[in-house]
Amino acid sequence: MFFKRSFQGVFGLLLVVIALTQIVSQRANNMLAIILIMGTSYVVYTQLKKIEWFWSQKCQKIVTAVLIAFNILMLLYVSLNFQINDVSDPLNVQIKATELLHGNYNWHTNINGSEEYFYFYPNVVFYTIFLSKIMSLGGTFGLSIQLTLRLMTFLFLAGITVFAMLTSWQLNKNRKSLLITALILAVYPVMYLYPNMVTYTDTLTMFLTTVVLYLIAVVISTRSYNTWFAVGGAILLVYAVLYAVKPNMIVLLPAVLILLLMAVVMKMKNKVQIIVVSASLALGIVVSTVTITPITQHYGFDQTQAKKTELPVTHWINMGLNPVGSNGAGAYDLNDDNNARQSRIDNNPQLIKQSIKYRLKTLGIGGIWKLALDKAQMLLGTPLFGFGKYMTGYAKAPTFYIKHQSMLNALFSIMATTVILIIVTKLFVANIKLTDDSNAINQTKVTFIYLVGIASIGLA
């Protein structure tokens, strides 16, 4: 009992911190709007509970279908009308993918030829190869490269909706849960703009993450040993691709380990299920690590050259601690980039380590805590619409969006924060009330997976 209550206390404190990261990121007028929305939502929900016909199967099906249709149509509209691939990293990847499509395996290319882009950022090589295959597939149907990319983006984001709904049904077999999931997908704005406008790793990562979460839901809601291990193999394969595209999605492994800890402490049934999931994710990382080198070498990428020129891990840590930066505190900064490359040329990696020590000292405990909150906020889906260098591509966005961009960004931020606060509040209450009752435990698992899903999308 002591361990159970201790876990509940620590987990509840974590949820409070998550809520604070959402609150401190908002201006006073935004928070006022969020409070009003949450209050109004509660009042509306309590009133709707009194209306029997609203909760009838027929009405729930209609409302759910309308929300899904709205979500899908919005994704299609944005994918065909917001296109800003003419900037920086996405353009490098798109150009190289086009070259691979035409048999040019020379990776010493970028926008202006002044640097070996992929040897500084080899993490995008696998995705570039994948993109060239998608371009080839579109060509077999007579589609242009740009239309192929737009349709690919739409299909992946629509796939997020499909697998999110499947996950919800798999966990609950409940129409009310489907309705809530459809509502979250319709109003949670992260997937509508940034990953739809920019043809980059993020869109594929979000889709694959949703597939992994669905497969996890299948395992933890099934009693069949054969299903556990068959789906575990599928998790391994999908997660291997996901990890190859974006290694920071390793976050799913500790998330599942937390779920395993919850299973042990809260005496949830079928701990073996979560062990199978954890093992599948771990093996997925191993498979990805082992296979990525021969795959990229097959397409002419020299891994030994990348080891000589790629930026070290310490460079990304250093940038994460940047107290100012051209794109904001703790964000990407070209000066850090140039300094890291120069330290590589001078064979003096100690310069980056010295910078890390200096920044830790400058920030102090308070500054590091604030940066941690900012990063947690990004992890949980702060909309990055109109942020940094991607602003330059907004000339291709509709006029109404450019004209009202600041107001729309504020609206999107309010929507995202409101959704997360509602889910965190629900999980906090469930955590306090948690007993050995199987229904309460299942509700907590479901809510936790919703939170992990949204956090994963935010990280992507």
Side-chain angles (χ1 to χ4, degrees):
M1 180 60 70
F2 172 77
F3 289 108
K4 177 177 178 178
R5 296 306 176 196
S6 299
F7 179 84
Q8 283 179 284
V10 172
F11 193 63
L13 181 61
L14 174 63
L15 293 172
V16 170
V17 172
I18 290 174
L20 286 175
T21 66
Q22 305 298 304
I23 293 170
V24 298
S25 70
Q26 298 296 325
R27 298 190 301 272
N29 55 342
N30 279 17
M31 270 315 302
L32 178 60
I34 291 169
I35 292 171
L36 290 173
I37 291 172
M38 292 182 70
T40 303
S41 300
Y42 177 76
V43 172
V44 170
Y45 176 72
T46 54
Q47 294 302 312
L48 287 175
K49 285 180 70 174
K50 300 176 182 178
I51 306 175
E52 292 185 8
W53 65 265
F54 183 82
W55 297 106
S56 66
Q57 291 187 8
K58 182 178 180 181
C59 187
Q60 285 188 44
K61 287 179 181 178
I62 292 173
V63 174
T64 301
V66 168
L67 290 171
I68 293 174
F70 171 80
N71 174 244
I72 297 294
L73 290 174
M74 276 291 294
L75 292 175
L76 181 60
Y77 172 76
V78 173
S79 68
L80 295 178
N81 290 278
F82 289 72
Q83 301 177 33
I84 61 170
N85 290 323
D86 56 345
V87 287
S88 190
D89 297 347
L91 183 58
N92 274 300
V93 167
Q94 192 172 329
I95 289 174
K96 184 61 216 172
T98 307
E99 291 180 357
L100 290 177
L101 179 65
H102 293 95
N104 179 3
Y105 288 2
N106 177 16
W107 288 85
H108 298 254
T109 57
N110 83 324
I111 296 174
N112 54 27
S114 62
E115 62 185 28
E116 298 171 357
Y117 175 83
F118 291 94
Y119 288 101
F120 284 108
Y121 307 110
N123 56 298
V124 293
V125 170
F126 183 84
Y127 174 73
T128 306
I129 295 170
F130 170 82
L131 201 62
S132 70
K133 296 303 178 184
I134 294 295
M135 291 177 176
S136 176
L137 179 63
T140 61
F141 293 97
L143 302 177
S144 68
I145 288 177
Q146 282 304 313
L147 182 57
T148 298
L149 296 180
R150 293 292 93 205
L151 291 176
M152 177 199 75
T153 299
F154 165 70
L155 289 174
F156 282 145
L157 292 176
I160 293 173
T161 297
V162 171
F163 279 97
M165 295 298 294
L166 288 173
T167 302
S168 177
W169 180 255
Q170 185 68 38
L171 288 170
N172 272 335
K173 299 293 193 297
N174 184 288
R175 289 188 178 83
K176 180 181 175 182
S177 178
L178 283 180
L179 177 59
I180 294 171
T181 305
L183 179 62
I184 290 175
L185 289 168
V187 301
Y188 193 67
V190 170
M191 70 176 70
Y192 281 137
L193 292 181
Y194 171 77
N196 214 326
M197 292 186 290
V198 181
T199 304
Y200 201 44
T201 57
D202 307 319
T203 309
L204 177 59
T205 303
M206 290 166 61
F207 169 70
L208 292 175
T209 301
T210 315
V211 176
V212 170
L213 290 173
Y214 167 68
L215 294 173
I216 290 173
V218 172
V219 173
I220 66 175
S221 59
T222 304
R223 297 287 181 266
S224 168
Y225 281 91
N226 291 335
T227 302
W228 290 356
F229 291 103
V231 178
I235 292 174
L236 188 157
L237 295 175
V238 176
Y239 188 63
V241 177
L242 173 60
Y243 183 73
V245 174
K246 194 173 280 286
N248 57 6
M249 293 312 294
I250 196 174
V251 71
L252 285 182
L253 186 54
V256 172
L257 292 177
I258 292 173
L259 192 59
L260 177 60
L261 179 61
M262 292 173 68
V264 173
V265 176
M266 304 302 185
K267 299 180 181 178
M268 292 178 184
K269 296 180 180 179
N270 301 318
K271 302 180 187 67
V272 178
Q273 298 167 319
I274 304 174
I275 293 174
V276 168
V277 171
S278 302
S280 298
L281 293 175
L283 288 173
I285 294 174
V286 173
V287 169
S288 179
T289 303
V290 170
T291 59
I292 191 69
T293 297
I295 290 174
T296 55
Q297 285 179 342
H298 176 75
Y299 289 92
F301 185 75
D302 187 352
Q303 290 286 346
T304 59
Q305 179 71 11
K307 294 296 181 184
K308 297 177 183 177
T309 57
E310 69 177 321
L311 296 176
V313 174
T314 49
H315 159 67
W316 308 108
I317 297 172
N318 189 44
M319 282 207 307
L321 294 170
N322 195 323
V324 286
S326 57
N327 286 332
Y332 176 84
D333 186 76
L334 185 59
N335 291 326
D336 284 340
D337 213 40
N338 292 334
N339 291 337
R341 297 183 191 196
Q342 190 60 47
S343 70
R344 169 77 73 179
I345 294 171
D346 297 339
N347 195 27
N348 188 7
Q350 195 62 28
L351 289 176
I352 301 177
K353 296 177 183 177
Q354 289 173 354
S355 179
I356 291 174
K357 293 178 182 178
Y358 173 77
R359 287 177 177 178
L360 287 171
K361 184 178 179 180
T362 301
L363 287 166
I365 295 176
I368 293 173
W369 175 247
K370 184 179 183 305
L371 274 181
L373 291 180
D374 290 342
K375 295 298 181 183
Q377 175 68 21
M378 290 178 64
L379 174 69
L380 289 167
T382 299
L384 297 178
F385 316 125
F387 183 79
K389 57 194 173 186
Y390 298 112
M391 281 289 294
T392 59
Y394 275 170
K396 293 185 179 179
T399 305
F400 80 87
Y401 180 81
I402 298 172
K403 185 176 180 180
H404 303 291
Q405 181 189 327
S406 61
M407 290 186 290
L408 288 168
N409 287 355
L411 174 62
F412 295 145
S413 183
I414 288 170
M415 290 164 59
T417 303
T418 302
V419 169
I420 293 171
L421 285 177
I422 289 174
I423 291 176
V424 168
T425 301
K426 180 176 174 59
L427 187 54
F428 183 79
V429 172
N431 181 60
I432 292 175
K433 294 181 177 180
L434 197 60
T435 64
D436 290 332
D437 177 63
S438 60
N439 290 331
I441 290 173
N442 185 59
Q443 182 190 40
T444 305
K445 283 201 294 185
V446 170
T447 311
F448 177 78
I449 289 172
Y450 269 125
L451 183 65
V452 171
I454 287 181
S456 302
I457 291 174
L459 178 62

